[in-house]
Every structure is written in C-alpha cells, then in structure tokens.
Amino acid sequence: MVKENILKFKELLPQHVNLVAVSKTQPANAVSEAYQTGHRVFGENKVQELVAKYNELPKDIQWHLIGHLQTNKVKYIAPFISLIHSVDSLKLLQEINKQAAKNNRVIDCLLQLYIANEETKFGLSYEEADLLLSSEEFKQLKNIRIVGLMGMATNTTNAAQIRNEFHSLKNFFNMIRSLNLTRGTENVELKILSMGMSSDYQIAIEEGSNMIRVGSIIFGERNYAN
Ligand SMILES: *Cc1c(COP(=O)(O)O)cnc(C)c1O
C-alpha cells in the first residue's frame, strides 16, 4: 500500500515541489517500503523516534525534524539531521550552531513562522523573525544556515482562511528574501518554503510552497493523535 500511495502521490506533484514523507508513529518497515520506491526524504516530529529510526534504517535517508525542538535534545540529532523545520528562537539556533560546530558541520534550518489563528501552534511572528535575522548574535552563527521558512495553517475547513495564511507567509518570504539580498548575511540563503500537509497541500502549492510535509496520504491514518 505505502509503495503505491507514494508513487501515485509523487506522480501528480509539480516538479519544483519537494515531498517530505512524514513517518511519525509509523513503524520502520513502513519507511522501508517508501524507501524502496527510491524516496529518501522523511520527516519526524519527535527526537527520540527520529533517532531510533535513524539507527535502524539506511544511512542515505535525509531526515527532517518537523516538530518542536527543545535545546537539550539538539545534541542527539546534530550528527546527522538534514533539515530542521521548526526553529523558533535565537536561543535554539545558538544551541544548534554549537552542536553543529562540535560535529564539524553546517546544519540547514528553517524558521517556523506562526501563521495560524490558534493558540497551540509554535512559531515566530513576522516581526520576531525579522528581528532575529537582523541581529548581531545571529550573524555570528557560522555553523547554521537559514535556508527557508516553514508554517502551519489553521486546522479548519475554511479554505479561504488557509489560503490567506499561506499567502501571507509567501509574501513575507519574498520580502525577507529581497531584504537579505541587500543585507548580504552569509548564513541566510532563502530557497525553501515549507508549507502544506495532507489536508491543505494543494492550497499551499497554489500559494507558492515548494516543500510539503505529507503523512497520512502516504502511510494511512495514524492510530493516535500526534
Ligand atoms: C504530522 C505533521 C505533518 C503531516 O500531517 P498529515 O496530516 O499526516 O499529512 C506535517 N507537518 C507537521 C509539522 C506535522 O507534525
């Protein structure tokens, strides 16, 4: 099932849109099935589960962390993580930078923006993100690179609202990108706009997403809320 699902799903995706197959709560063998189709990019939202799957599965998988990250857990993923979607503070970024340096690497990150009309979602406001990117402390971080932005829309059936939220993030992305061209900050290279999941990826793509994070369409419904 997983093989058919992912092949069919990818066939319909525009070429410029990258798929992160979200394997949270799924067993390693479900990831293997998707892997056998040639897919290499997988997303997890919990550090412990991510590390367990990293240890068990082939080493050419590109693992993305898509869930909230606590500073004291950065060290567990720093040796291998391919992209962190959920950076929401300078303090966290400083810790990622420190652990990346220890591992002699540069870790790619996205800033997570708060775009939803909900209390429960993590992320920076547009103003906070702008302040972070223009701060002196940020410019000193040589072992991280901000390669884009991530946002989650409100969990609603109101398509117009979802579209508005994605649209505003895309506008902010464009603005920050042109600002940064003039600022010339070396650790920023905005190219990824991560928005859209199973329920709203089509709207997200229409609004300019080039990276979607999709779980249930590929792996089936999860057994418990996560
Ligand atoms: C679980 C999750 C997804 C994928 O959700 P689906 O509805 O299964 O596609 C995407 N992004 C984040 C941050 C998630 O936690």
PDB file of all heavy atoms in Angstrom, residues 3 11 20 25 27 34 40 51-52 60 66 73 90 97 99 119 121 128 149 158 167 170 193 196 200 213:
ATOM      1  N   LYS A   3       3.880   1.746  -0.911  1.00  0.00           N
ATOM      2  CA  LYS A   3       4.578   1.917  -2.196  1.00  0.00           C
ATOM      3  C   LYS A   3       3.676   2.543  -3.244  1.00  0.00           C
ATOM      4  O   LYS A   3       4.049   3.511  -3.900  1.00  0.00           O
ATOM      5  CB  LYS A   3       5.049   0.551  -2.719  1.00  0.00           C
ATOM      6  CG  LYS A   3       6.393   0.148  -2.187  1.00  0.00           C
ATOM      7  CD  LYS A   3       6.876  -1.124  -2.873  1.00  0.00           C
ATOM      8  CE  LYS A   3       8.079  -1.643  -2.108  1.00  0.00           C
ATOM      9  NZ  LYS A   3       8.387  -3.037  -2.394  1.00  0.00           N
ATOM     10  N   GLU A  11       3.746  11.228  -8.518  1.00  0.00           N
ATOM     11  CA  GLU A  11       3.488  11.385  -9.948  1.00  0.00           C
ATOM     12  C   GLU A  11       2.697  12.655 -10.234  1.00  0.00           C
ATOM     13  O   GLU A  11       2.880  13.306 -11.258  1.00  0.00           O
ATOM     14  CB  GLU A  11       2.684  10.177 -10.409  1.00  0.00           C
ATOM     15  CG  GLU A  11       2.968   9.728 -11.813  1.00  0.00           C
ATOM     16  CD  GLU A  11       2.151   8.469 -12.100  1.00  0.00           C
ATOM     17  OE1 GLU A  11       2.678   7.375 -11.827  1.00  0.00           O
ATOM     18  OE2 GLU A  11       0.989   8.605 -12.533  1.00  0.00           O
ATOM     19  N   VAL A  20       8.342  15.811   1.734  1.00  0.00           N
ATOM     20  CA  VAL A  20       8.848  15.209   2.964  1.00  0.00           C
ATOM     21  C   VAL A  20       7.790  14.193   3.391  1.00  0.00           C
ATOM     22  O   VAL A  20       6.658  14.572   3.704  1.00  0.00           O
ATOM     23  CB  VAL A  20       9.048  16.257   4.078  1.00  0.00           C
ATOM     24  CG1 VAL A  20       9.575  15.601   5.336  1.00  0.00           C
ATOM     25  CG2 VAL A  20       9.964  17.370   3.607  1.00  0.00           C
ATOM     26  N   THR A  25       5.052   8.071  14.108  1.00  0.00           N
ATOM     27  CA  THR A  25       4.190   6.994  14.640  1.00  0.00           C
ATOM     28  C   THR A  25       4.164   5.731  13.758  1.00  0.00           C
ATOM     29  O   THR A  25       3.607   4.709  14.150  1.00  0.00           O
ATOM     30  CB  THR A  25       2.720   7.414  14.900  1.00  0.00           C
ATOM     31  OG1 THR A  25       1.994   7.412  13.663  1.00  0.00           O
ATOM     32  CG2 THR A  25       2.611   8.769  15.564  1.00  0.00           C
ATOM     33  N   PRO A  27       5.845   2.440  11.859  1.00  0.00           N
ATOM     34  CA  PRO A  27       6.984   1.554  12.122  1.00  0.00           C
ATOM     35  C   PRO A  27       8.070   1.688  11.036  1.00  0.00           C
ATOM     36  O   PRO A  27       7.785   2.151   9.933  1.00  0.00           O
ATOM     37  CB  PRO A  27       6.368   0.156  12.073  1.00  0.00           C
ATOM     38  CG  PRO A  27       5.153   0.305  11.222  1.00  0.00           C
ATOM     39  CD  PRO A  27       4.648   1.708  11.441  1.00  0.00           C
ATOM     40  N   ALA A  34       8.518   2.762   1.577  1.00  0.00           N
ATOM     41  CA  ALA A  34       8.619   4.009   0.809  1.00  0.00           C
ATOM     42  C   ALA A  34      10.028   4.163   0.249  1.00  0.00           C
ATOM     43  O   ALA A  34      10.226   4.583  -0.895  1.00  0.00           O
ATOM     44  CB  ALA A  34       8.248   5.201   1.683  1.00  0.00           C
ATOM     45  N   ARG A  40      13.769   9.323  -0.463  1.00  0.00           N
ATOM     46  CA  ARG A  40      14.836   9.433   0.548  1.00  0.00           C
ATOM     47  C   ARG A  40      14.574  10.465   1.636  1.00  0.00           C
ATOM     48  O   ARG A  40      15.338  10.551   2.595  1.00  0.00           O
ATOM     49  CB  ARG A  40      16.168   9.786  -0.146  1.00  0.00           C
ATOM     50  CG  ARG A  40      16.723   8.678  -1.039  1.00  0.00           C
ATOM     51  CD  ARG A  40      17.128   7.465  -0.216  1.00  0.00           C
ATOM     52  NE  ARG A  40      17.633   6.383  -1.037  1.00  0.00           N
ATOM     53  CZ  ARG A  40      16.885   5.387  -1.534  1.00  0.00           C
ATOM     54  NH1 ARG A  40      15.580   5.347  -1.299  1.00  0.00           N
ATOM     55  NH2 ARG A  40      17.435   4.433  -2.254  1.00  0.00           N
ATOM     56  N   VAL A  51      15.699   9.460  16.205  1.00  0.00           N
ATOM     57  CA  VAL A  51      16.998   8.823  16.429  1.00  0.00           C
ATOM     58  C   VAL A  51      16.870   7.298  16.306  1.00  0.00           C
ATOM     59  O   VAL A  51      17.722   6.636  15.703  1.00  0.00           O
ATOM     60  CB  VAL A  51      17.570   9.230  17.808  1.00  0.00           C
ATOM     61  CG1 VAL A  51      18.794   8.405  18.151  1.00  0.00           C
ATOM     62  CG2 VAL A  51      17.906  10.711  17.825  1.00  0.00           C
ATOM     63  N   ALA A  52      15.794   6.755  16.830  1.00  0.00           N
ATOM     64  CA  ALA A  52      15.585   5.303  16.739  1.00  0.00           C
ATOM     65  C   ALA A  52      15.495   4.860  15.280  1.00  0.00           C
ATOM     66  O   ALA A  52      16.109   3.872  14.874  1.00  0.00           O
ATOM     67  CB  ALA A  52      14.320   4.909  17.498  1.00  0.00           C
ATOM     68  N   ASP A  60      21.501   6.598   3.941  1.00  0.00           N
ATOM     69  CA  ASP A  60      21.350   7.644   2.921  1.00  0.00           C
ATOM     70  C   ASP A  60      19.979   8.328   2.979  1.00  0.00           C
ATOM     71  O   ASP A  60      19.645   9.152   2.132  1.00  0.00           O
ATOM     72  CB  ASP A  60      21.635   7.103   1.510  1.00  0.00           C
ATOM     73  CG  ASP A  60      20.657   6.029   1.085  1.00  0.00           C
ATOM     74  OD1 ASP A  60      20.001   5.418   1.965  1.00  0.00           O
ATOM     75  OD2 ASP A  60      20.543   5.780  -0.128  1.00  0.00           O
ATOM     76  N   ILE A  66      10.483  17.996  11.960  1.00  0.00           N
ATOM     77  CA  ILE A  66       9.393  18.931  11.662  1.00  0.00           C
ATOM     78  C   ILE A  66       8.662  19.385  12.920  1.00  0.00           C
ATOM     79  O   ILE A  66       7.810  20.259  12.865  1.00  0.00           O
ATOM     80  CB  ILE A  66       8.380  18.314  10.666  1.00  0.00           C
ATOM     81  CG1 ILE A  66       7.753  17.050  11.250  1.00  0.00           C
ATOM     82  CG2 ILE A  66       9.069  17.997   9.335  1.00  0.00           C
ATOM     83  CD1 ILE A  66       6.591  16.510  10.415  1.00  0.00           C
ATOM     84  N   LYS A  73      17.837  18.672  23.507  1.00  0.00           N
ATOM     85  CA  LYS A  73      17.809  17.478  22.645  1.00  0.00           C
ATOM     86  C   LYS A  73      18.543  17.666  21.330  1.00  0.00           C
ATOM     87  O   LYS A  73      18.679  16.724  20.547  1.00  0.00           O
ATOM     88  CB  LYS A  73      16.354  17.081  22.380  1.00  0.00           C
ATOM     89  CG  LYS A  73      15.671  16.649  23.649  1.00  0.00           C
ATOM     90  CD  LYS A  73      14.383  15.906  23.410  1.00  0.00           C
ATOM     91  CE  LYS A  73      13.855  15.358  24.729  1.00  0.00           C
ATOM     92  NZ  LYS A  73      12.418  15.086  24.659  1.00  0.00           N
ATOM     93  N   LEU A  90      16.190  32.388  18.881  1.00  0.00           N
ATOM     94  CA  LEU A  90      17.633  32.582  18.733  1.00  0.00           C
ATOM     95  C   LEU A  90      18.392  31.626  19.638  1.00  0.00           C
ATOM     96  O   LEU A  90      19.426  31.071  19.261  1.00  0.00           O
ATOM     97  CB  LEU A  90      17.996  34.039  19.061  1.00  0.00           C
ATOM     98  CG  LEU A  90      19.481  34.387  18.970  1.00  0.00           C
ATOM     99  CD1 LEU A  90      19.999  34.236  17.544  1.00  0.00           C
ATOM    100  CD2 LEU A  90      19.741  35.797  19.485  1.00  0.00           C
ATOM    101  N   ASN A  97      23.809  25.711  16.463  1.00  0.00           N
ATOM    102  CA  ASN A  97      25.109  26.156  15.958  1.00  0.00           C
ATOM    103  C   ASN A  97      26.261  25.508  16.735  1.00  0.00           C
ATOM    104  O   ASN A  97      27.233  25.020  16.155  1.00  0.00           O
ATOM    105  CB  ASN A  97      25.195  27.672  16.060  1.00  0.00           C
ATOM    106  CG  ASN A  97      26.453  28.222  15.428  1.00  0.00           C
ATOM    107  OD1 ASN A  97      26.588  28.221  14.209  1.00  0.00           O
ATOM    108  ND2 ASN A  97      27.393  28.658  16.248  1.00  0.00           N
ATOM    109  N   GLN A  99      26.211  22.707  18.564  1.00  0.00           N
ATOM    110  CA  GLN A  99      26.287  21.259  18.330  1.00  0.00           C
ATOM    111  C   GLN A  99      26.767  20.946  16.912  1.00  0.00           C
ATOM    112  O   GLN A  99      27.445  19.949  16.681  1.00  0.00           O
ATOM    113  CB  GLN A  99      24.925  20.594  18.604  1.00  0.00           C
ATOM    114  CG  GLN A  99      24.452  20.717  20.043  1.00  0.00           C
ATOM    115  CD  GLN A  99      25.390  20.043  21.049  1.00  0.00           C
ATOM    116  OE1 GLN A  99      26.128  19.111  20.723  1.00  0.00           O
ATOM    117  NE2 GLN A  99      25.392  20.547  22.277  1.00  0.00           N
ATOM    118  N   GLU A 119      -4.135  28.828  19.296  1.00  0.00           N
ATOM    119  CA  GLU A 119      -3.243  29.008  20.444  1.00  0.00           C
ATOM    120  C   GLU A 119      -2.123  27.976  20.477  1.00  0.00           C
ATOM    121  O   GLU A 119      -1.088  28.192  21.086  1.00  0.00           O
ATOM    122  CB  GLU A 119      -4.049  28.896  21.744  1.00  0.00           C
ATOM    123  CG  GLU A 119      -4.846  30.140  22.074  1.00  0.00           C
ATOM    124  CD  GLU A 119      -3.978  31.370  22.241  1.00  0.00           C
ATOM    125  OE1 GLU A 119      -2.965  31.273  22.951  1.00  0.00           O
ATOM    126  OE2 GLU A 119      -4.313  32.415  21.654  1.00  0.00           O
ATOM    127  N   LYS A 121      -0.141  26.430  18.153  1.00  0.00           N
ATOM    128  CA  LYS A 121       0.961  26.256  17.213  1.00  0.00           C
ATOM    129  C   LYS A 121       2.196  27.046  17.637  1.00  0.00           C
ATOM    130  O   LYS A 121       2.114  28.207  18.021  1.00  0.00           O
ATOM    131  CB  LYS A 121       0.522  26.673  15.811  1.00  0.00           C
ATOM    132  CG  LYS A 121      -0.714  25.900  15.333  1.00  0.00           C
ATOM    133  CD  LYS A 121      -0.370  24.876  14.272  1.00  0.00           C
ATOM    134  CE  LYS A 121      -1.362  23.717  14.259  1.00  0.00           C
ATOM    135  NZ  LYS A 121      -2.450  23.875  13.327  1.00  0.00           N
ATOM    136  N   GLU A 128       9.208  39.072  14.908  1.00  0.00           N
ATOM    137  CA  GLU A 128      10.268  38.366  15.641  1.00  0.00           C
ATOM    138  C   GLU A 128      11.283  37.735  14.685  1.00  0.00           C
ATOM    139  O   GLU A 128      12.492  37.746  14.934  1.00  0.00           O
ATOM    140  CB  GLU A 128       9.665  37.274  16.532  1.00  0.00           C
ATOM    141  CG  GLU A 128       8.924  37.813  17.742  1.00  0.00           C
ATOM    142  CD  GLU A 128       8.075  36.754  18.438  1.00  0.00           C
ATOM    143  OE1 GLU A 128       7.687  35.737  17.788  1.00  0.00           O
ATOM    144  OE2 GLU A 128       7.774  36.938  19.623  1.00  0.00           O
ATOM    145  N   LEU A 149      11.668  29.068   5.197  1.00  0.00           N
ATOM    146  CA  LEU A 149      10.647  29.273   6.227  1.00  0.00           C
ATOM    147  C   LEU A 149       9.649  28.124   6.219  1.00  0.00           C
ATOM    148  O   LEU A 149       9.428  27.478   5.192  1.00  0.00           O
ATOM    149  CB  LEU A 149       9.890  30.579   5.973  1.00  0.00           C
ATOM    150  CG  LEU A 149      10.710  31.865   5.808  1.00  0.00           C
ATOM    151  CD1 LEU A 149       9.779  33.034   5.469  1.00  0.00           C
ATOM    152  CD2 LEU A 149      11.539  32.164   7.049  1.00  0.00           C
ATOM    153  N   ASN A 158     -12.198  25.918   6.509  1.00  0.00           N
ATOM    154  CA  ASN A 158     -12.335  27.186   5.800  1.00  0.00           C
ATOM    155  C   ASN A 158     -11.140  27.408   4.860  1.00  0.00           C
ATOM    156  O   ASN A 158     -10.085  27.907   5.265  1.00  0.00           O
ATOM    157  CB  ASN A 158     -12.453  28.322   6.831  1.00  0.00           C
ATOM    158  CG  ASN A 158     -12.667  29.670   6.170  1.00  0.00           C
ATOM    159  OD1 ASN A 158     -12.453  29.838   4.968  1.00  0.00           O
ATOM    160  ND2 ASN A 158     -13.085  30.636   6.967  1.00  0.00           N
ATOM    161  N   HIS A 167      -0.720  32.570   1.963  1.00  0.00           N
ATOM    162  CA  HIS A 167      -0.413  33.725   1.109  1.00  0.00           C
ATOM    163  C   HIS A 167       0.446  34.743   1.868  1.00  0.00           C
ATOM    164  O   HIS A 167       1.419  35.279   1.328  1.00  0.00           O
ATOM    165  CB  HIS A 167      -1.717  34.363   0.635  1.00  0.00           C
ATOM    166  CG  HIS A 167      -1.539  35.362  -0.461  1.00  0.00           C
ATOM    167  ND1 HIS A 167      -1.364  34.990  -1.781  1.00  0.00           N
ATOM    168  CD2 HIS A 167      -1.479  36.713  -0.435  1.00  0.00           C
ATOM    169  CE1 HIS A 167      -1.211  36.084  -2.511  1.00  0.00           C
ATOM    170  NE2 HIS A 167      -1.273  37.133  -1.729  1.00  0.00           N
ATOM    171  N   LYS A 170       3.998  33.477   2.172  1.00  0.00           N
ATOM    172  CA  LYS A 170       4.714  33.612   0.903  1.00  0.00           C
ATOM    173  C   LYS A 170       5.161  35.073   0.684  1.00  0.00           C
ATOM    174  O   LYS A 170       6.291  35.342   0.266  1.00  0.00           O
ATOM    175  CB  LYS A 170       3.821  33.141  -0.248  1.00  0.00           C
ATOM    176  CG  LYS A 170       4.322  33.466  -1.639  1.00  0.00           C
ATOM    177  CD  LYS A 170       5.603  32.736  -2.006  1.00  0.00           C
ATOM    178  CE  LYS A 170       5.894  32.921  -3.496  1.00  0.00           C
ATOM    179  NZ  LYS A 170       7.228  32.455  -3.853  1.00  0.00           N
ATOM    180  N   LEU A 193      10.316  27.027   0.985  1.00  0.00           N
ATOM    181  CA  LEU A 193       9.105  27.464   1.675  1.00  0.00           C
ATOM    182  C   LEU A 193       8.300  26.208   1.995  1.00  0.00           C
ATOM    183  O   LEU A 193       7.663  25.619   1.120  1.00  0.00           O
ATOM    184  CB  LEU A 193       8.315  28.439   0.800  1.00  0.00           C
ATOM    185  CG  LEU A 193       7.077  29.062   1.441  1.00  0.00           C
ATOM    186  CD1 LEU A 193       7.387  29.748   2.769  1.00  0.00           C
ATOM    187  CD2 LEU A 193       6.418  30.050   0.490  1.00  0.00           C
ATOM    188  N   GLY A 196       2.165  23.132   3.872  1.00  0.00           N
ATOM    189  CA  GLY A 196       1.212  22.181   3.318  1.00  0.00           C
ATOM    190  C   GLY A 196       1.395  20.788   3.887  1.00  0.00           C
ATOM    191  O   GLY A 196       2.514  20.291   3.979  1.00  0.00           O
ATOM    192  N   ASP A 200      -4.069  20.176   3.321  1.00  0.00           N
ATOM    193  CA  ASP A 200      -4.050  21.506   2.696  1.00  0.00           C
ATOM    194  C   ASP A 200      -2.891  21.724   1.714  1.00  0.00           C
ATOM    195  O   ASP A 200      -2.606  22.855   1.339  1.00  0.00           O
ATOM    196  CB  ASP A 200      -4.043  22.595   3.782  1.00  0.00           C
ATOM    197  CG  ASP A 200      -2.882  22.480   4.759  1.00  0.00           C
ATOM    198  OD1 ASP A 200      -1.894  21.791   4.435  1.00  0.00           O
ATOM    199  OD2 ASP A 200      -2.957  23.080   5.848  1.00  0.00           O
ATOM    200  N   ARG A 213       4.862  18.600   3.582  1.00  0.00           N
ATOM    201  CA  ARG A 213       5.108  17.574   4.601  1.00  0.00           C
ATOM    202  C   ARG A 213       3.847  16.725   4.704  1.00  0.00           C
ATOM    203  O   ARG A 213       2.853  17.147   5.285  1.00  0.00           O
ATOM    204  CB  ARG A 213       5.417  18.248   5.943  1.00  0.00           C
ATOM    205  CG  ARG A 213       6.491  19.330   5.879  1.00  0.00           C
ATOM    206  CD  ARG A 213       6.613  20.072   7.208  1.00  0.00           C
ATOM    207  NE  ARG A 213       5.324  20.485   7.729  1.00  0.00           N
ATOM    208  CZ  ARG A 213       4.725  21.643   7.432  1.00  0.00           C
ATOM    209  NH1 ARG A 213       5.296  22.524   6.642  1.00  0.00           N
ATOM    210  NH2 ARG A 213       3.538  21.911   7.930  1.00  0.00           N
TER     211      ARG A 213
END
